[in-house]
Amino acid sequence: MLALAQAKTYPQAARKARAEGRVVLAFTLDRYGRIVERAVAEGSGWPVLDRAALDLLDGFDRLPAPPAAMGAGPFPLQVPISYAFK
């Protein structure tokens, strides 16, 4: 979660449109932290935000690997990504 939060950006087109929303990303990691599948599980209602959330995942070669004690995987996850003006 921390790696995703640090890499998140707010798309300029969304800022101009004052678009806010929450995107739930569904993705699967292998035991090395590589993203092997990804999709939008719940859209924000703003395609520009949904695309930005997918692009966020695409920006990583891998995420931190799950602990070895969790087994060999795969590890399906869902993570909410919020876009809001402060």
Side-chain angles (χ1 to χ4, degrees), residues 3-86:
L4 293 175
Q6 290 176 338
K8 181 178 90 171
T9 61
Y10 214 118
Q12 189 64 27
R15 285 183 182 278
K16 280 186 171 183
R18 304 282 302 162
E20 295 185 318
R22 184 180 87 130
V23 181
V24 177
L25 291 175
F27 58 99
T28 303
L29 296 180
D30 68 10
R31 68 178 165 175
Y32 304 107
R34 290 183 296 231
I35 299 167
V36 294
E37 294 179 42
R38 92 301 181 260
V40 172
E42 293 177 31
S44 66
W46 291 91
V48 66
L49 295 180
D50 297 349
R51 180 77 243 163
L54 287 173
D55 289 346
L56 173 63
L57 286 180
D58 292 344
F60 288 93
D61 288 331
R62 66 182 67 217
L63 292 169
M70 292 181 65
F75 303 97
L77 302 165
Q78 286 197 358
V79 174
I81 306 293
S82 294
Y83 294 92
F85 291 97
K86 294 182 178 181

